[in-house]
Amino acid sequence: MYIPQTAGPLQLPQLVNKFLNNEEMLPYSFYVSDEELLVPVGTYLEKNKMSVEKVLSTVYQQQAVFRIRPVNRCSQTIAGHAEAVLCVSFSPVGKQLARAQVILLSGFCDLNTETPLFTCKGHKNWVLSIAWSPDGSQEMDHWYLVGTSPP
């Protein structure tokens, strides 16, 4: 494919999207000899003292697409928080939430029903960090908050 020397990181993704008949514009990065092409093709050729008649093998790679919806209102709340919540942690499968409050209470909530499952009491200091089993294989009553004994 012949491309203009002025084509660079902004124009090349448009070419690839058109060539692949993508319905929406997807982001791509381009590499020549394992080096990302960050300048127009003509600039790259001049910098590397290459002829415009030479075939320039270029690899394209789709970049990640992040779609984030802005939060402009509170969509849900979980009752039972008398004080500020210091930290939260979602379970690996996203069905439960562990949280710690200023008043030395911590506990676990079911996100489907939006209800507390149980509260851990008796902390002598604030719980500043919460962690779950990384693979989620342990049952919830075996998980515990950092710095505490199992409930």
Side-chain angles (χ1 to χ4, degrees):
M1 171 187 298
Y2 293 99
I3 59 171
Q5 291 184 39
T6 57
L10 298 176
Q11 296 80 22
L12 291 173
Q14 294 172 350
L15 288 170
V16 170
N17 277 296
K18 192 73 162 171
F19 183 74
L20 296 175
N21 292 321
N22 291 338
E23 290 182 19
E24 61 180 293
M25 292 297 287
L26 298 174
Y28 289 92
S29 55
F30 297 85
Y31 299 87
V32 178
S33 302
D34 293 330
E35 180 183 335
E36 187 171 4
L37 183 64
L38 300 172
V39 295
V41 173
T43 305
Y44 179 86
L45 293 173
E46 284 177 24
K47 181 178 139 188
N48 292 289
K49 297 181 172 78
M50 297 173 73
S51 168
V52 293
E53 299 295 323
K54 181 174 171 51
V55 173
L56 185 65
S57 296
T58 307
V59 176
Y60 67 90
Q61 181 178 16
Q62 184 178 341
Q63 296 176 328
V65 177
F66 297 99
R67 292 186 172 84
I68 301 171
R69 294 182 307 167
V71 177
N72 54 13
R73 64 181 175 82
C74 178
S75 60
Q76 296 177 351
T77 60
I78 298 176
H81 301 106
E83 292 289 334
V85 175
L86 293 176
C87 60
V88 296
S89 178
F90 288 94
S91 65
V93 292
K95 292 183 179 180
Q96 292 150 344
L97 177 74
R99 67 328 199 215
Q101 294 175 240
V102 169
I103 56 173
L104 307 183
L105 287 177
S106 56
F108 298 90
C109 301
D110 183 324
L111 293 175
N112 290 328
T113 62
E114 298 179 17
T115 57
L117 293 172
F118 63 88
T119 300
C120 304
K121 298 179 183 178
H123 302 291
K124 307 248 188 298
N125 291 306
W126 291 357
V127 177
L128 300 175
S129 177
I130 299 173
W132 293 86
S133 168
D135 61 2
S137 64
Q138 299 203 10
E139 296 197 0
M140 198 181 73
D141 60 353
H142 293 113
W143 294 332
Y144 58 93
L145 299 171
V146 175
T148 67
S149 52

